[in-house]
Amino acid sequence: MKRLFLVLTTMLLVHNQVPAQSAPDCIIPKVESYSLSKGCFTLQPGSTFYIKTKTPEGAAAFEEYLAACPLGLVKAPGKKADVLFTIDDKQLKGKSQGAYQLSITPKGITVKAAGFEGAFYALQSLMQMRNASPDGALAACRIDDSPRFPYRGLMFDVVRHFHSKDFILKQLDLMALLKMNRLHMHLTDNEGWRIQLDCAPEMVKGGAFGSSKFFNTILSGLPRGFTREPAGYVSGTVYDDGTVYGGYYSKKDIQEIIDYAAARHIVIVPEIELPGHNAVLLHVHPEFYCQGGHKVDNVVCAGNEGVFDFFEKVLEEVMDLFPGTYIHIGGDEASKANWLLCPRCRERMAAEGLGDEFQLQSYIIRRIEAFINKHGKRLIGWDEILEGGLSEGATVMSWRGTKGGIESLRQHHDVIMTPNTYYYFDYGQDAPYKEPIAFNAYLPLKTVYGYDPEEEIRSSAGPGVDCSHLLGVQANLWSECIIEDGHYEYMLYPRAFAVAETGWSPAGSKDYAAFRAKAARLAEWIKEQGYHPFDLATEAGDRPEAGIPLPRISDSIKASWSIAGGAAEDASILVDGFRGGWNINDARAWKEARNKEMVVDIDLGSVKDIHYVGAEFVDYGTRRMFVPQDTEFSISEDGKVYTPLKVPQARLAAGRKHFQICTVGGPVSEKGRYLRLSFNSGPDKVRARIGEIMIN
Ligand code: ACM
Ligand code: ZN
């Protein structure tokens, strides 16, 4: 609170463009319904409040929050007050948890809710209205509001780069303002162990100050042709100024985060990763490696009882510490290669009658789930936990697009949608050449806002799919490329506003133009409060060339491609007359070639005079995508005998370090029907991404 509403008056001076009276349409997330009436009420510092309740539990915490809130309200001496909160469980029967009714009349403000959560959200709506009004004049209105989904979350990766307790508290203030109610903290991974536990003090001692070679290399600019090293933990990375990189939350820090969140009706969901993403654990406990002397990996041995003992004692302490129902155990991206080679893992598979390595993963998840359930908690995992079968009570976070969510719903698992295609905030949010380095491109506010989980599931799986187990949505901010707190906030806001609206506001109520305008205003306001949002006023948008049709040399142009002499596959998107946009993951515009000699064959339909040939490639070190340096165009009249064309190789523009789209090609003076482009995507693990091939 103290962080978010520091200088209420400053912003009142700044926003002279807002109307004198603020109406509920300024609120993010959009309220369920409202009606306006005549007049207004002026809320000022010194306005009084009174809480009338038959449910005293939670009253003290709410009153404390209210009294400290920058609205400057003071407790009324009697029952008469400017803002009257009526809280009892007879209110708003049949409405979802967190519902409230807020009435503003020229005489005063009344709030009704079944519990303090609803009253808290009414207060957030009031604060947003107050912030949008220069002199505190709030339009007379009645708001009826309730959340669409019970789970409205953000995930913070505090491992890849550590972010302090104070930083987390600051974000909790804003989450509360947005009526978000779950903060998932990704606390362990290859690059660090960020939670102090009495049962495993060695983990922060040996695993909280270090980093990953891979991410360091990304951040310093990947060299051309760089191939990824095994994800590994490097102890004690020392910077030029002598500081050692890292950090962790003490138990006291964790308790403070939990309490601060609870006062804002936010539950912390802790994540302890297993069985993969564990390079740091293997660094501290090398005995947890699989046996057999094979490749170094980040997956723990599934045949080693010591591994289960370790995770059980860790989870027990974590469950004691965090009051929420959910414990997240990761479960994603666990390579199974070592398990198949390891005698102990093979023994486990034989003893448990497990048919393959996926069933071994399932065995781990089920065993850990039983342990968690025994303690009265519930397991959440990334969608890989579906592999090999999942027990009924587990909740799935669907991150690889929508597929995992659909499969989970079919199996009647609770689901939280967090698709990388819409909700990965480590992706850049504007034209990549003007943005800081990002882990992927391109996820602007409009795309994030456009996502509706139910709509997307139904359009992929058919209208008959049962969405009753869809708990809600969550955006994830992975921090591989994000060191600075300001950069972290920049990636979060205003995109988190869009997630809040999707999680809370009624289905089918979206209006991007209206949302963008209020998001720009709220972003401006949070900037006043010391946050660092992306500036929507400078948004460049998608690649302008992508929307402009190219001249067509032929209406019957066709393309196919083949890999190292393999079968030809359709590649018509490469000659569809449109360049790709910044979203290089859009399979309708870009094609990926990995590790292979590629040949693209183009048939113009008849012999043509050709004056220009060119092909677009992406150069994007973060994704290990490089422009091939051995491209060759050749031409043929009969499709049998090809003559190479002399066109220049790609030249990378100076000054665009992290991302660029390069054209390979140039003017020619040729006649032919068949054109061939060959290239090599590069060494192992390096890839090429090709877009439009332009011929005229
Ligand atoms: C994930 O992005 N591996 C959950
Ligand atoms: Zn093993």
Side-chain angles (χ1 to χ4, degrees):
M1 177 91 62
K2 51 187 182 284
R3 290 167 181 80
L4 183 53
F5 301 104
L6 286 177
V7 205
L8 200 65
T9 45
T10 343
M11 63 83 45
L12 301 182
L13 298 173
V14 170
H15 294 294
N16 51 10
Q17 75 276 26
V18 297
Q21 291 178 16
S22 67
D25 60 359
C26 71
I27 297 167
I28 296 179
K30 184 180 204 162
V31 301
E32 188 178 350
S33 69
Y34 72 91
S35 55
L36 290 170
S37 47
K38 271 217 174 88
C40 67
F41 182 81
T42 301
L43 193 63
Q44 288 170 326
S47 296
T48 55
F49 72 85
Y50 182 76
I51 303 168
K52 191 173 143 199
T53 183
K54 290 188 180 134
T55 32
E57 199 190 321
F62 182 62
E63 191 171 322
E64 196 181 314
Y65 182 90
L66 197 52
C69 115
L71 288 176
L73 302 182
V74 293
K75 193 173 177 181
K79 290 186 181 178
K80 235 174 101 38
D82 298 318
V83 188
L84 173 66
F85 292 91
T86 303
I87 294 143
D88 74 67
D89 56 13
K90 295 203 178 49
Q91 301 289 342
L92 311 184
K93 283 241 179 283
K95 285 286 193 181
S96 50
Q97 191 178 333
Y100 66 91
Q101 189 187 88
L102 170 64
S103 299
I104 302 174
T105 72
K107 290 196 175 132
I109 298 173
T110 57
V111 170
K112 290 181 181 165
F116 284 96
E117 192 176 343
F120 182 83
Y121 292 141
L123 183 60
Q124 303 307 321
S125 289
L126 259 187
M127 289 205 268
Q128 286 204 34
M129 285 181 73
R130 174 64 184 85
N131 293 334
S133 164
D135 57 3
L138 313 182
C141 64
R142 175 174 148 172
I143 297 173
D144 288 279
D145 202 8
S146 64
R148 175 180 177 191
F149 291 114
Y151 190 113
R152 306 175 297 279
L154 291 177
M155 186 222 69
F156 291 175
D157 169 8
V158 289
V159 174
R160 271 52 179 271
H161 290 102
F162 181 65
H163 294 270
S164 70
K165 175 202 75 182
D166 284 340
F167 175 80
I168 303 292
L169 302 187
K170 183 181 173 195
Q171 309 320 311
L172 287 167
D173 278 335
L174 207 41
M175 286 180 72
L177 191 73
L178 296 168
K179 304 185 177 88
M180 301 186 99
N181 64 355
R182 294 288 184 282
L183 176 62
H184 165 182
M185 293 183 75
H186 185 74
L187 290 164
T188 68
D189 209 308
N190 294 321
E191 298 79 11
W193 186 279
R194 304 285 180 224
I195 177 169
Q196 179 195 42
L197 294 169
D198 297 336
C199 70
E202 73 281 10
M203 288 313 302
V204 288
K205 195 154 173 264
F209 293 91
S211 63
S212 137
K213 257 194 220 163
F214 177 55
F215 299 139
N216 286 347
T217 319
I218 281 184
L219 291 167
S220 55
L222 277 183
R224 171 160 305 280
F226 174 83
T227 58
R228 183 173 183 158
E229 299 179 38
Y233 180 78
V234 188
S235 184
T237 306
V238 181
Y239 288 101
D240 293 346
D241 66 359
T243 52
V244 177
Y245 181 75
Y248 64 88
Y249 306 108
S250 68
K251 285 186 83 164
K252 190 165 156 282
D253 291 340
I254 291 284
Q255 195 56 57
E256 208 177 313
I257 290 170
I258 290 167
D259 293 345
Y260 198 81
R264 285 151 186 77
H265 296 273
I266 297 169
V267 177
I268 306 292
V269 178
E271 180 181 353
I272 303 292
E273 266 273 12
L274 62 92
H277 285 266
N278 263 310
V280 73
L281 174 60
L282 291 164
H283 171 80
V284 177
H285 284 285
E287 71 277 16
F288 294 162
Y289 269 114
C290 275
Q291 289 181 332
H294 35 266
K295 200 179 101 178
V296 172
D297 207 340
N298 61 30
V299 180
V300 291
C301 180
N304 181 345
E305 275 306 291
V307 166
F308 288 92
D309 292 345
F310 174 84
F311 279 115
E312 286 183 2
K313 76 181 183 191
V314 163
L315 288 170
E316 197 153 29
E317 193 168 336
V318 165
M319 287 186 282
D320 278 350
L321 205 49
F322 292 87
T325 308
Y326 285 115
I327 302 294
H328 201 303
I329 53 79
D332 57 319
E333 299 179 313
S335 153
K336 282 118 189 129
N338 280 355
W339 292 346
L340 291 174
L341 299 168
C342 167
R344 281 196 299 216
C345 285
R346 296 185 71 84
E347 218 170 274
R348 171 84 73 198
M349 286 166 72
E352 299 291 335
L354 307 172
D356 60 25
E357 65 275 30
F358 297 99
Q359 287 186 19
L360 184 54
Q361 152 117 351
S362 170
Y363 165 83
I364 299 169
I365 303 297
R366 285 175 194 267
R367 184 167 161 182
I368 294 291
E369 188 192 10
F371 181 77
I372 287 174
N373 292 161
K374 208 171 73 190
H375 288 75
K377 304 275 186 173
R378 292 186 62 188
L379 175 142
I380 304 191
W382 301 111
D383 56 51
E384 288 93 331
I385 65 172
L386 289 162
E387 289 168 1
L390 181 62
S391 48
E392 223 166 73
T395 298
V396 177
M397 268 187 185
S398 177
W399 73 276
R400 295 175 297 179
T402 299
K403 273 195 326 276
I406 293 171
E407 187 49 38
S408 307
L409 291 173
R410 286 207 173 110
Q411 295 182 23
H412 310 292
H413 293 295
D414 283 351
V415 174
I416 295 148
M417 293 307 296
T418 175
N420 54 357
T421 37
Y422 295 95
Y423 279 1
Y424 266 36
F425 286 0
D426 51 336
Y427 289 29
Q429 60 199 310
D430 201 3
Y433 64 80
K434 74 178 259 290
E435 290 302 293
I437 186 168
F439 205 57
N440 214 324
Y442 145 82
L443 196 51
L445 180 66
K446 188 173 184 182
T447 307
V448 177
Y449 187 72
Y451 176 63
D452 184 282
E454 228 170 314
E455 234 173 74
E456 179 106 350
I457 286 167
R458 290 192 200 286
S459 75
S460 302
V465 67
D466 174 11
C467 287
S468 59
H469 284 273
L470 176 58
L471 296 186
V473 289
Q474 174 177 287
N476 297 334
L477 183 45
W478 301 102
S479 63
E480 285 92 341
C481 299
I482 309 174
I483 303 174
E484 304 292 333
D485 286 353
H487 185 186
Y488 208 86
E489 291 176 352
Y490 179 89
M491 303 306 273
L492 277 173
Y493 312 115
R495 290 186 292 187
F497 302 173
V499 180
E501 188 141 315
T502 300
W504 179 281
S505 308
S509 68
K510 285 189 174 170
D511 172 348
Y512 182 64
F515 172 77
R516 194 179 188 283
K518 65 184 180 175
R521 196 168 56 219
L522 187 60
E524 197 53 43
W525 181 72
I526 67 169
K527 208 164 133 192
E528 299 282 329
Q529 309 306 312
Y531 293 85
H532 300 84
F534 169 78
D535 183 3
L536 282 171
T538 65
E539 189 175 23
D542 205 351
R543 189 179 179 215
E545 301 94 307
I548 301 169
L550 291 161
R552 305 278 281 159
I553 192 168
S554 161
D555 286 335
S556 53
I557 189 167
K558 286 195 200 111
S560 61
W561 81 353
S562 55
I563 302 167
E569 290 169 26
D570 178 61
S572 49
I573 60 146
L574 300 181
V575 291
D576 65 0
F578 286 93
R579 294 182 178 98
W582 300 135
N583 181 5
I584 55 165
N585 302 316
D586 182 353
R588 292 164 308 177
W590 296 100
K591 274 179 97 66
E592 178 164 299
R594 279 176 190 251
N595 315 336
K596 298 285 181 351
E597 309 231 337
M598 304 296 308
V599 174
V600 186
D601 277 311
I602 297 159
D603 178 358
L604 302 178
S606 59
V607 173
K608 304 277 182 194
D609 288 323
I610 301 172
H611 306 290
Y612 174 87
V613 292
E616 294 202 311
F617 285 92
V618 174
D619 194 85
Y620 194 14
T622 322
R623 306 303 313 150
R624 277 168 284 136
M625 258 168 224
F626 299 104
V627 182
Q629 294 299 297
D630 57 353
T631 47
E632 184 175 290
F633 281 101
S634 51
I635 192 160
S636 167
E637 288 207 10
D638 59 5
K640 293 187 183 106
V641 180
Y642 281 83
T643 311
L645 298 179
K646 272 208 168 89
V647 293
Q649 296 293 330
R651 240 184 282 138
L652 300 175
R656 289 187 178 181
K657 191 169 164 195
H658 304 306
F659 180 102
Q660 51 184 296
I661 294 172
C662 299
T663 303
V664 175
V668 293
S669 181
E670 299 289 343
K671 227 180 188 14
R673 170 174 172 175
Y674 301 97
L675 205 73
R676 177 169 283 171
L677 168 62
S678 59
F679 61 94
N680 192 317
S681 60
D684 189 32
K685 303 271 173 67
V686 164
R687 46 204 168 170
R689 196 155 289 191
I690 179 170
E692 192 66 10
I693 299 176
M694 298 159 289
I695 308 155
N696 56 51

